[in-house]
Amino acid sequence: MKSKITTSIPRQGGSGHEHQKNNLFFVSKNTKTILVFIVLINLFSFQLFAQKKFEIADYAKFVNISDPQLSPDGKSVVIVVSKPDYTLNRYNAELVLIDIALGRKRTLTSQDRFTVSSPRWSPNGEQLAFISKIGQGKEANNQIFVLSMSGGEAKQVTKSPKGVQHFAWSPNSIDIAYAALNEAKNKQEIEKGFTGFEITNNDMFVGSQPLPAHIWLANTNTLESKRLTDGDWTLPLIIPPSAPSSPFSWSPDGKSILFVKTVSPYSGDGMHRSIQLLNLADGTYKPLTTRTKWEGYPNFSPDGSKISYWYKKGGAMPDINEVWLTNANGGEGRPISTQLNRDLYLSAWMSDNKTLLVGGHDDNKTSLWTMTLDGKTTKLDLGNVSPSWGFWIGASVSKTGALVFTASEPDQPLELYYMASTKSKPIAITDYNSEVSKMTFGKTETIRWENNGWKHCGIVTYPTNYEKGKKYPLVLIVHGGPNSASVEQFSRLAQVFANEGYFVFEPNYRGSDNLGSEYKVAIVEDAGAGPGRDVMAGLDKLKATGMIDVDRIGVSGWSYGGFMTVWLAGHYTGWKAAVAGAAVTDWVDQYSFSDNNIARGEALGGSPYVGDNMKKYIAQSPITEAKNIKAPTLILANVGDPRVPVTQSYKLYHSLIDNGTVAKFIGWPIPAHNATDPVTQMETHKQWLNWLNTYLK
């Protein structure tokens, strides 16, 4: 029980001000009916306030909080709050302003503006810009709106034909640089039916010529916009899941903008990206370094003398993001995060010009550190709080040194946390998910093991009805990526299974991004065998506790977790059921048809079509041994998924059926790797749960 219920009634013969607790044990001298009445009241109260079992239907109660932005004076924070609407099958979002000292909330956007994102304060704190979708159907697109904090309606600043992708305020608090797609050069020919286009390094679902994105400048007073860049090259184009497109960074004097240039809008060319410095006076730009690959996320220091940026260690796709430092005149500079040795997805300057706030997965947590310019780090004391991670950590830092971020704990869903300084303890300043937090959750802890010379960790969630001495069925939920990690945080799916009476094991394995460079690149040219041994060694450690019913174990996962599911089911026995979601099963298809296509070659030894590399691809593809799978298998896929094309799920389905294995294949007409609508998200987890319940209970 998380809540304590106390009731009281006046004592018999008392003054009326005295009270007796524990009414179940109070006996009236005059009548038994009073006792019966009190018993009924207590039973009703217990049933009313007793903890509710957490179920998939409770997803409807979740409130998502994202993109917190501290005001320049550090006194307020604006957040995006979104709630699921299952009737219209969408998320309704609004901007909410929170007074940090008083805790007061004020909604800034109206209900008819249900798609809002990217709130950004003007540097003087007098205005708030944000993106909102206008128009209907195919004509709908995102535009920038600006709201005066002194009152009034938001005004539309841009009318970009292809919409706005992201933006950044100028230091003058008047101009806004924004990214927008060009219109097709042959627009008139296309309208006449001439729709042929060149295919190169794009995913198989692209249906027209990919368009480049370029920089524009909008004046919030005159509402006029002008183009700053053009060409066949492009700003980074993002296909989720991924980090957001590299934001613009203005120099403090407002004369220059740092941006990232990619050689073409074809997604497979996204690795060919370099940092550029745009001179607003004459429209020219120059590269910051001589590199041509894997640079991103540049950021001027507050005084404009230095620039931080991300670069893949060794210039290799499978390796970690390192934070580099150079001066404003350019040059590669030097890495400053080498000693920390973590895959970093946050690098924000503190106001002292001497320190950055950085963050990333760290063993069994998501951690934040302060990092000096010589690479010395101090980890922030976050307790059990784990900042939100999605190939990006969206922390906001004020000039006062305060910071805010969204985060969760294993038994506490997402909320907004505030730290007055990097030495403070995080404090939750919202309670949007308080209703959910009162439900029953399984205990979460970390399990550790060693295999093949590597130290590993994984997350174990107990059944909510756990009784010592009993054995319970187990579900593995293997994380995707593999550039990701399982950490101690709130997990909806894990807690759903825990409430159904399962242990849940979320293992990390070589290739995960929580233990540094060597651990992450250990998966190169060893996509399944090594990670498979790691997971099985962790499973053996868990079995040895005596808590697991070894005859009722299921394996499941999405994306690379789907890859691991098929690999494990095809190479190891003992599974009673499997769920393979958006599963990579054939590396040749992944190289040839997915959005990141040729970039995958770096992790697999080069192109499958060169030399003897095809043998490597076949040996590392789960489909090669899928004929050995005996466990009843549910296959889940979005049929328009550009990240893991559905061809691979079809191959898995036919391999299973043709070899007499029970299989079911569920697809959704969604052109994305992960569904973004609440109905499909809920339905996917229902299918997942029902399949495992069928074979493990």
Side-chain angles (χ1 to χ4, degrees):
M1 294 289 291
K2 291 185 181 178
S3 57
K4 183 178 180 181
I5 303 169
T6 304
T7 57
S8 60
I9 60 169
R11 287 181 180 173
Q12 289 290 324
S15 64
H17 300 288
E18 298 173 337
H19 292 79
Q20 172 73 49
K21 294 182 180 180
N22 298 325
N23 347 359
L24 287 174
F25 300 99
F26 170 73
V27 179
S28 169
K29 296 180 181 179
N30 300 320
T31 177
K32 294 181 180 180
T33 58
I34 296 177
L35 176 60
V36 173
F37 177 76
I38 295 170
V39 170
L40 292 173
I41 289 293
N42 274 273
L43 288 173
F44 175 79
S45 299
F46 179 83
Q47 291 172 352
L48 183 64
F49 295 104
Q51 284 179 278
K52 179 190 176 301
K53 174 183 177 181
F54 178 66
E55 302 172 291
I56 289 178
D58 294 313
Y59 287 12
K61 299 181 176 68
F62 271 86
V63 178
N64 190 51
I65 309 161
S66 62
D67 209 355
Q69 298 291 319
L70 277 165
S71 59
D73 63 10
K75 295 180 180 179
S76 302
V77 58
V78 64
I79 56 177
V80 180
V81 177
S82 59
K83 302 174 183 179
D85 182 333
Y86 287 91
T87 301
L88 298 175
N89 194 22
R90 71 187 189 195
Y91 284 92
N92 295 327
E94 58 188 15
L95 300 182
V96 176
L97 181 70
I98 301 175
D99 183 306
I100 293 173
L102 301 177
R104 291 190 303 222
K105 300 183 183 71
R106 179 161 64 97
T107 301
L108 300 177
T109 50
S110 58
Q111 292 182 349
D112 59 346
R113 192 188 299 279
F114 61 87
T115 55
V116 292
S117 63
S118 307
R120 297 293 183 269
W121 294 91
S122 60
N124 61 15
E126 295 177 1
Q127 300 177 94
L128 185 75
F130 60 92
I131 289 177
S132 183
K133 184 170 289 186
I134 62 171
Q136 300 292 327
K138 294 182 179 180
E139 301 301 319
N141 54 36
N142 291 323
Q143 303 295 343
I144 299 172
F145 289 76
V146 171
L147 181 68
S148 171
M149 299 312 292
S150 60
E153 292 293 319
K155 63 179 179 181
Q156 183 177 340
V157 173
T158 61
K159 294 182 179 179
S160 176
K162 291 291 184 179
V164 172
Q165 297 181 331
H166 60 90
F167 67 91
W169 280 97
S170 163
N172 65 18
S173 294
I174 297 173
D175 296 319
I176 292 177
Y178 67 91
L181 290 176
N182 284 1
E183 293 198 79
K185 291 181 179 180
N186 60 335
K187 181 181 177 181
Q188 292 183 346
E189 286 79 5
I190 291 173
E191 291 173 348
K192 295 176 182 178
F194 297 97
T195 55
F197 66 97
E198 183 179 5
I199 292 174
T200 64
N201 296 323
N202 51 269
D203 69 79
M204 65 180 292
F205 298 107
V206 169
S208 60
Q209 180 76 35
L211 301 174
H214 281 277
I215 308 173
W216 291 70
L217 190 69
N219 185 297
T220 60
N221 290 336
T222 65
L223 305 184
E224 296 178 346
S225 292
K226 66 177 181 178
R227 178 187 288 276
L228 297 183
T229 66
D230 200 3
D232 292 333
W233 62 269
T234 183
L235 300 169
L237 300 172
I238 299 304
I239 300 177
S242 68
S245 183
S246 192
F248 302 133
S249 179
W250 286 79
S251 60
D253 61 12
K255 296 180 179 180
S256 304
I257 297 175
L258 285 167
F259 70 93
V260 174
K261 175 185 176 183
T262 303
V263 296
S264 91
Y266 289 90
S267 57
D269 295 335
M271 59 182 170
H272 299 288
R273 58 178 187 257
S274 58
I275 297 169
Q276 308 287 320
L277 187 62
L278 173 66
N279 184 331
L280 271 76
D282 59 12
T284 61
Y285 56 87
K286 63 180 181 179
L288 184 70
T289 76
T290 59
R291 297 194 193 101
T292 59
K293 290 175 66 176
W294 296 122
E295 289 185 339
Y297 303 89
N299 204 358
F300 277 109
S301 61
D303 65 4
S305 65
K306 305 174 188 68
I307 295 170
S308 66
Y309 66 95
W310 299 1
Y311 181 63
K312 286 285 188 180
K313 184 175 181 179
M317 182 276 287
D319 218 318
I320 62 174
N321 284 329
E322 290 191 311
V323 175
W324 282 62
L325 183 71
T326 189
N327 60 52
N329 294 324
E332 289 183 4
R334 56 189 170 83
I336 61 173
S337 63
T338 303
Q339 185 176 350
L340 178 60
N341 190 24
R342 287 295 182 265
D343 200 14
L344 299 177
Y345 283 91
L346 166 68
S347 56
W349 283 95
M350 306 297 286
S351 60
D352 63 1
N353 293 289
K354 300 176 181 179
T355 314
L356 291 113
L357 180 71
V358 300
H361 284 145
D362 177 38
D363 190 38
N364 64 341
K365 304 284 187 182
T366 301
S367 295
L368 302 177
W369 299 264
T370 55
M371 177 182 290
T372 59
L373 303 189
D374 60 0
K376 294 179 181 178
T377 57
T378 302
K379 186 184 292 188
L380 276 59
D381 182 4
L382 303 182
N384 292 326
V385 171
S386 186
S388 304
W389 183 99
F391 303 98
W392 182 260
I393 298 174
S396 176
V397 181
S398 77
K399 295 177 182 178
T400 65
L403 61 147
V404 291
F405 52 90
T406 61
S408 68
E409 298 181 49
D411 62 350
Q412 171 62 57
L414 193 70
E415 296 294 352
L416 180 67
Y417 287 80
Y418 170 79
M419 297 175 69
S421 73
T422 56
K423 296 181 180 179
S424 304
K425 296 290 181 68
I427 300 171
I429 59 173
T430 62
D431 60 353
Y432 283 106
N433 286 303
S434 59
E435 181 180 359
V436 177
S437 69
K438 295 182 177 68
M439 297 179 186
T440 59
F441 299 128
K443 179 179 72 171
T444 297
E445 63 184 23
T446 298
I447 184 173
R448 300 183 183 277
W449 68 96
E450 295 185 18
N451 181 58
N452 294 159
W454 297 106
K455 294 182 178 180
H456 309 279
C457 71
I459 308 304
V460 175
T461 302
Y462 282 63
T464 53
N465 61 348
Y466 175 72
E467 296 178 23
K468 190 174 182 179
K470 290 184 63 176
K471 294 180 184 290
Y472 295 84
L474 171 69
V475 172
L476 275 70
I477 302 177
V478 188
H479 73 71
N483 180 25
S484 183
S486 292
V487 298
E488 291 189 355
Q489 62 184 0
F490 187 83
S491 169
R492 293 200 305 190
L493 186 57
Q495 291 295 350
V496 162
F497 278 108
N499 274 269
E500 288 285 328
Y502 294 97
F503 268 98
V504 178
F505 180 34
E506 299 173 87
N508 291 305
Y509 46 89
R510 69 189 78 178
S512 303
D513 75 344
N514 59 322
L515 291 173
S517 172
E518 298 82 1
Y519 191 68
K520 189 179 179 189
V521 300
I523 202 171
V524 173
E525 296 191 44
D526 185 17
R533 292 193 298 271
D534 298 338
V535 172
M536 294 306 295
L539 178 58
D540 288 342
K541 179 73 176 287
L542 192 54
K543 286 179 180 179
T545 64
M547 301 184 297
I548 306 302
D549 182 342
V550 297
D551 293 323
R552 292 190 292 163
I553 299 177
V555 60
S556 66
W558 191 270
S559 194
Y560 209 91
F563 167 94
M564 290 299 297
T565 295
V566 182
W567 182 277
L568 292 168
H571 288 79
Y572 299 91
T573 60
W575 310 108
K576 294 302 178 184
V579 178
V584 176
T585 67
D586 187 332
W587 284 119
V588 178
D589 278 17
Q590 192 68 7
Y591 180 93
S592 302
F593 303 139
S594 74
D595 61 342
N596 51 24
N597 47 79
I598 60 173
R600 278 291 176 192
E602 292 192 22
L604 294 162
S607 166
Y609 306 111
V610 174
D612 292 331
N613 287 344
M614 184 64 75
K615 295 178 182 178
K616 298 179 183 179
Y617 276 66
I618 293 172
Q620 295 178 79
S621 293
I623 197 66
T624 303
E625 300 299 327
K627 62 182 180 292
N628 298 327
I629 297 175
K630 303 303 179 186
T633 301
L634 174 66
I635 303 167
L636 305 173
N638 296 328
V639 298
D641 182 352
R643 183 63 44 85
V644 183
V646 73
T647 56
Q648 301 175 70
S649 290
Y650 274 96
K651 289 181 177 181
L652 176 60
Y653 175 74
H654 287 292
S655 176
L656 296 174
I657 293 298
D658 293 353
N659 284 283
T661 299
V662 175
K664 186 176 183 179
F665 186 2
I666 303 294
W668 286 272
I670 292 174
H673 186 54
N674 296 316
T676 57
D677 66 285
V679 171
T680 305
Q681 290 172 347
M682 181 181 286
E683 185 185 10
T684 301
H685 283 186
K686 280 183 178 178
Q687 294 279 358
W688 198 320
L689 175 65
N690 291 342
W691 186 265
L692 293 177
N693 276 346
T694 299
Y695 293 98
L696 299 184
K697 281 195 170 183

